[in-house]
Amino acid sequence: MLLSTQSRIENLLTTIDQLGMVTIRQLRQKHDLKSYRNACRVINQLDPYIHTTFFNKEKVLYLNKDGREFVGSTKEVKRNALIEHILLSNEVYFHFKCPLDWQREHVFELEAQMKKHEIIVNGGLKIANKKIIADASFTRNGYIHFIEIDNTRDMSDNKKKIESYIDVLKQIRLSTLYIFTKSNIRKRKFESLIKQNNLRAYVHTFDEIK
């Protein structure tokens, strides 16, 4: 394999690994693949390293075992009900101009306020941590940006998730929450939750970032 071909394959596989799943349109948005026909020719070179499936009549790519080994990834992605959530997350990634440190399903652990009954454990201090899993996150201009994607989650679950950000945004002073949803009705509900909890957060519909 020519070095330039190997390098291009590695770059494409690295993008697929970073985003989890991608459509051909999204790969063209990130890489200089020219026409759709040329993009399909290039992507055929990825065949030994990827699985393919379809969503809304678009071809979707994700890494197989050989692909993960090629780029040194331990993150296995399987086709499941989250495929739309992942592809919508990619649209937010492009909206923010492809952040270099974009991370999906990023786990944050914060030290929670300890109560008196939690302090002594085996003669030492019990560290009570609070964990939150952001759908994605990245840093820019010294701020941590938390991303939440809403496509099918019940609003009652959304309410719990938004409330879980109260302590996070208080402890990480330079941080902002962004919520992306599919309808103006849900956007207004999120904005109401944000106002009730006095959060540093913004809500957009996916139509607004097309």
Side-chain angles (χ1 to χ4, degrees), residues 91-126:
E91 299 303 323
V92 177
Y93 169 78
F94 291 114
H95 171 69
F96 284 110
K97 312 296 182 191
C98 308
L100 293 175
D101 61 348
W102 177 268
Q103 293 191 63
R104 298 186 310 107
E105 303 294 322
H106 196 187
V107 179
F108 291 86
E109 285 200 45
L110 300 176
E111 188 173 321
Q113 295 292 325
M114 286 188 294
K115 298 174 183 176
K116 287 184 180 179
H117 69 273
E118 295 177 322
I119 291 179
I120 303 300
V121 176
N122 295 328
L125 291 178
K126 178 182 178 181

Side-chain angles (χ1 to χ4, degrees), residues 29 128 186:
Q29 218 168 328
R186 291 171 80 89

Side-chain angles (χ1 to χ4, degrees), residues 36-184:
Y36 185 84
R37 183 176 179 179
N38 186 65
C40 291
R41 184 188 62 79
V42 172
I43 288 168
N44 282 340
Q45 297 173 331
L46 305 182
D47 276 351
Y49 308 105
I50 59 173
H51 293 301
T52 61
T53 186
F54 285 86
F55 182 79
N56 283 347
K57 299 181 180 178
E58 279 194 281
K59 195 170 187 178
V60 177
L61 322 173
Y62 57 106
L63 298 186
N64 62 20
K65 182 174 180 290
D66 289 339
R68 294 195 301 275
E69 288 178 355
F70 192 92
V71 297
S73 174
T74 57
K75 297 178 291 185
E76 182 177 5
V77 175
K78 296 181 179 179
R79 193 195 194 291
N80 55 34
L82 293 177
I83 184 169
E84 182 185 25
H85 190 273
I86 293 173
L87 297 180
L88 287 173
S89 178
N90 293 350
E91 299 303 323
V92 177
Y93 169 78
F94 291 114
H95 171 69
F96 284 110
K97 312 296 182 191
C98 308
L100 293 175
D101 61 348
W102 177 268
Q103 293 191 63
R104 298 186 310 107
E105 303 294 322
H106 196 187
V107 179
F108 291 86
E109 285 200 45
L110 300 176
E111 188 173 321
Q113 295 292 325
M114 286 188 294
K115 298 174 183 176
K116 287 184 180 179
H117 69 273
E118 295 177 322
I119 291 179
I120 303 300
V121 176
N122 295 328
L125 291 178
K126 178 182 178 181
I127 304 301
N129 288 332
K130 183 172 185 177
K131 185 168 73 174
I132 187 168
I133 304 175
D135 287 336
S137 72
F138 67 96
T139 57
R140 183 168 288 170
N141 299 326
Y143 276 78
I144 297 178
H145 299 274
F146 298 101
I147 309 298
E148 286 296 325
I149 307 295
D150 168 56
N151 58 324
T152 59
R153 199 157 47 197
D154 292 340
M155 279 310 295
S156 58
D157 291 333
N158 280 328
K159 182 179 179 183
K160 292 175 186 172
K161 189 73 183 280
I162 298 308
E163 289 174 345
S164 71
Y165 273 100
I166 294 174
D167 289 340
V168 174
L169 297 179
K170 280 182 182 174
Q171 289 195 38
I172 304 176
R173 192 170 58 86
L174 299 179
S175 62
T176 306
L177 171 63
Y178 292 89
I179 302 160
F180 294 85
T181 187
K182 296 181 75 173
S183 73
N184 285 319

